[in-house]
Amino acid sequence: MEHYAEGMPSEFWSRISLLIDGWSLEKKISNNDANILREMAWKRDNRLREAYLSSGGMAERELIDSFLKMALTGTSSGLHIVHIAAEMAPVAKVGGLADVISGLGKALQKKGNLVEIILPKYDCMQHNQINNLKVLDVVVQSYFEGNMFANKIWTGTVEGLPVYFIEPQHPGKFFWRAQYYGEHDDFKRFSYFSRVALELLYQSGKKVGIIHCHDWQTAFVAPLYWDVYANLGFSSARICFTCHNFEYQGTAPAQDLAYCGLDVEHLDRPDRMRDNSHGRINVVKGAIVYSNIVTTVSPTYAQEVHSEGGRGLQDTLKMHSKKFVGILNGINTDTWNPSTDRFLKIQYSANDLYGKSANKAALRKQLKMSSANASQPLVGCITRLVPQKGVHLIRHAIYKTAELGGQFVLLGSSPVPNIQREFEGIADQFQNSSNIRLLLKYDDALSHMIFAASDMFIVPSMFEPCGLTQMIAMRYGSVPVVRRTGGLNDSVFDFDDETIPMELRNGFTFLKADEHVIAVSVYFLS
């Protein structure tokens, strides 16, 4: 063990892993040598570090030879985990899924596992958030619609994690749409991506332990792996599927499964991928059936989806209940840390709260809000404005806060046109107010400031698989006010609930989804 030591950041070792994988895919080293070198990088072998650091001016072939001379045999104590997903913060973020991919990846990496991520290469992703982005000198051919299509493979590190970006050379320009989701051919786009992601792993010769796919966009991975790639000898991995929200299941006409090479006749059956409610196929159902383990993002939500919350899949979940579990999400405490947060005016901690009031003053100044009364309560809300999030309760909370003399800041927009128009109208109504601000957009830097400045934070969701904002709010010293559903029920415990130990009580909760309840909560907190 004398060769193994700490000392270099995860970013460095991720770069080494990507270098080795590039050589393997480009056929510059054998799959066997690549697996040995990956394990050395995984174990953070000092000899690789020294060879790489002293390679300045060295030709690539010389560096490869120096690496191969050090190759060892042995087994790792960790797991090789590959996440296949449509999002990852901060490079391609729409919702909480993106935060989970980066946060969970870093947590697993810190525990000694080799963690890799595979993403589409979107034209609209945040390229400035990727370190050492480069294209490999290899083209991965993949099947789709009866033909073979070429794909460029890019590599880079995001949040210290090694990431592969797939750029299809398909005439449909699947990921050159200036947005992540919402296209008429999303089913084709993501079935294509799922197939290429597995093809990349297959051609790399990696001995992956766990392939973790997320939501309907990559649910195709489970049946593709067992019905196509296991038959080709790629069978070292076990499949974990996480559904972050059963509201979105990925249904389509059965024949659309054939695009990515799946056998329609084999899968269009009630015990496999045929939807329980109509004659289409359902890829989330397919992932539940074909995965080795199925998870969702909180214990309470796991109970809720066994009934109406399953949106038609409750019988399938009951049938596969032995492999289905709810695990509460967490937040990335490196990203969300008020003592190190670079977006804040003044950093602070639980032991020194001066910075919280300073950030409140800074936000008021930035948004041109009244600062006459430093103790005037400020209510924060950061959300997508969709029915799931309780928009009628958010609207009522805005008016009630104004009536009671508090301040309210909302950050978020809506993909639903009539909801977006409604909140634009409310924003216009309060444009001359010094206490109410509606910012109908996404702004990462501003979200950090709102968490730091707010005294309380409302999350009045109709249903919430997990929710991260209430956890972030607590991390920044803001009292959460939430409806008792899903992960909100598992993470926020009412201050007045005498059945809960006092040390666990951390917010205020309510059950009824009516405006009176939210009004009472705002009143007592104000």
Side-chain angles (χ1 to χ4, degrees):
M1 293 297 291
E2 67 273 13
H3 299 302
Y4 302 103
E6 298 294 331
M8 298 297 285
S10 59
E11 171 86 22
F12 174 84
W13 293 107
S14 293
R15 195 181 311 160
I16 296 291
S17 293
L18 290 174
L19 188 67
I20 294 164
D21 283 347
W23 293 338
S24 175
L25 287 164
E26 292 164 352
K27 305 302 181 186
K28 294 174 180 175
I29 60 176
S30 70
N31 286 340
N32 184 61
D33 286 337
N35 283 324
I36 294 171
L37 289 170
R38 284 189 197 105
E39 184 169 338
M40 293 176 68
W42 180 359
K43 289 182 174 180
R44 304 192 173 195
D45 192 305
N46 273 337
R47 291 166 298 170
L48 288 186
R49 181 187 68 180
E50 294 305 319
Y52 182 78
L53 292 177
S54 62
S55 66
M58 185 183 292
E60 183 184 50
R61 188 67 248 176
E62 292 180 84
L63 179 59
I64 292 172
D65 290 342
S66 70
F67 269 39
L68 292 177
K69 287 177 183 177
M70 294 180 292
L72 304 170
T73 58
T75 57
S76 172
S77 59
L79 293 167
H80 185 173
I81 303 165
V82 176
H83 290 274
I84 303 176
E87 298 180 40
M88 179 186 184
V91 67
K93 176 178 168 63
V94 175
L97 168 62
D99 297 297
V100 170
I101 298 301
S102 54
L104 177 60
K106 290 174 71 173
L108 290 168
Q109 187 184 64
K110 286 179 180 178
K111 287 184 175 293
N113 300 293
L114 172 58
V115 182
E116 298 172 320
I117 318 290
I118 303 178
L119 296 174
K121 188 176 187 296
Y122 300 103
D123 59 345
C124 56
M125 67 186 189
Q126 304 300 308
H127 290 81
N128 63 340
Q129 299 290 344
I130 308 169
N131 292 326
N132 302 299
L133 180 65
K134 69 174 185 177
V135 65
L136 297 180
D137 184 20
V138 66
V139 173
V140 172
Q141 297 280 342
S142 182
Y143 175 90
F144 200 71
E145 291 184 281
N147 296 295
M148 299 298 288
F149 292 96
N151 301 274
K152 289 183 180 180
I153 306 300
W154 296 72
T155 64
T157 58
V158 177
E159 300 276 302
L161 292 162
V163 183
Y164 301 84
F165 301 93
I166 292 172
E167 181 184 353
Q169 304 300 290
H170 186 282
K173 296 187 179 299
F174 287 144
F175 302 110
W176 290 80
R177 307 291 184 81
Q179 63 178 1
Y180 302 113
Y181 307 134
E183 294 292 291
H184 71 281
D185 58 349
D186 276 358
F187 192 92
K188 290 182 70 172
R189 296 168 69 220
F190 289 105
S191 63
Y192 183 99
F193 167 66
S194 297
R195 175 87 193 219
V196 185
L198 284 173
E199 187 67 31
L200 171 63
L201 293 175
Y202 171 62
Q203 292 191 26
S204 73
K206 296 181 182 184
K207 294 181 180 179
V208 180
I210 296 174
I211 297 174
H212 194 160
C213 46
H214 300 262
D215 281 346
W216 80 262
Q217 290 87 357
T218 58
F220 302 91
V221 165
L224 277 169
Y225 180 79
W226 291 116
D227 277 6
V228 177
Y229 285 91
N231 295 329
L232 299 175
F234 178 31
S235 58
S236 62
R238 294 298 175 262
I239 305 296
C240 175
F241 171 68
T242 296
C243 186
H244 297 255
N245 191 336
F246 280 90
E247 186 83 358
Y248 309 101
Q249 298 182 6
T251 63
Q255 62 267 24
D256 289 4
L257 271 183
Y259 292 146
C260 63
L262 287 170
D263 186 332
V264 176
E265 186 176 349
H266 176 65
L267 294 171
D268 185 19
R269 293 172 30 173
D271 61 335
R272 292 181 181 163
M273 292 186 72
R274 186 183 299 162
D275 190 83
N276 296 339
S277 303
H278 44 70
R280 294 156 70 86
I281 52 92
N282 183 320
V283 291
V284 168
K285 179 178 178 179
I288 293 169
V289 172
Y290 272 82
S291 296
N292 298 95
I293 188 166
V294 180
T295 74
T296 194
V297 292
S298 71
T300 296
Y301 188 58
Q303 295 172 4
E304 292 171 349
V305 297
H306 275 101
S307 55
E308 290 77 12
R311 299 297 192 267
L313 287 180
Q314 48 266 37
D315 289 342
T316 302
L317 289 167
K318 289 174 185 175
M319 187 177 302
H320 294 274
S321 60
K322 289 185 178 179
K323 63 178 181 181
F324 178 57
V325 63
I327 303 171
L328 187 66
N329 275 344
I331 60 171
N332 184 335
T333 53
D334 293 331
T335 300
W336 299 107
N337 184 351
S339 67
T340 59
D341 194 328
R342 61 188 176 89
F343 292 113
L344 303 190
K345 184 73 173 178
I346 296 180
Q347 296 165 346
Y348 64 98
S349 69
N351 298 320
D352 180 10
L353 290 173
Y354 167 73
K356 186 158 182 68
S357 59
N359 283 292
K360 184 176 180 180
L363 183 69
R364 285 170 163 171
K365 182 177 180 180
Q366 179 179 339
L367 299 182
K368 296 180 172 58
M369 300 175 73
S370 173
S371 57
N373 179 2
S375 62
Q376 186 179 15
L378 175 63
V379 181
C381 182
I382 301 174
T383 186
R384 287 180 300 116
L385 294 168
V386 293
Q388 172 198 337
K389 301 298 183 178
V391 288
H392 67 295
L393 297 178
I394 294 171
R395 178 186 61 230
H396 190 72
I398 294 169
Y399 286 108
K400 197 64 183 180
T401 301
E403 178 187 324
L404 293 170
Q407 295 184 314
F408 197 104
V409 177
L410 167 69
L411 177 64
S413 61
S414 180
V416 184
N418 65 301
I419 295 177
Q420 181 73 9
R421 285 193 299 269
E422 177 186 8
F423 278 82
E424 286 172 353
I426 298 171
D428 289 341
Q429 182 180 344
F430 285 104
Q431 63 179 332
N432 295 321
S433 169
S434 60
N435 290 323
I436 308 295
R437 290 290 180 269
L438 276 67
L439 307 152
L440 303 178
K441 61 180 180 178
Y442 174 75
D443 186 323
D444 185 49
L446 185 55
S447 72
H448 286 248
M449 281 296 294
I450 294 171
F451 281 118
S454 62
D455 297 296
M456 63 200 80
F457 204 91
I458 65 165
V459 192
S461 303
M462 296 298 94
F463 72 96
E464 192 63 68
C466 180
L468 299 179
T469 56
Q470 79 281 7
M471 300 181 189
I472 299 169
M474 289 187 282
R475 175 82 164 155
Y476 282 68
S478 182
V479 179
V481 181
V482 309
R483 184 168 175 271
R484 292 202 302 274
T485 182
L488 301 173
N489 185 60
D490 295 320
S491 57
V492 181
F493 307 102
D494 197 282
F495 182 78
D496 295 318
D497 188 347
E498 295 182 357
T499 67
I500 302 291
M502 179 59 76
E503 64 271 18
L504 298 180
R505 301 181 206 175
N506 54 9
F508 293 90
T509 68
F510 61 93
L511 186 57
K512 291 183 179 179
D514 59 50
E515 296 171 347
H516 171 72
V517 174
I518 196 76
V520 170
S521 298
V522 172
Y523 173 79
F524 279 108
L525 283 168
S526 298

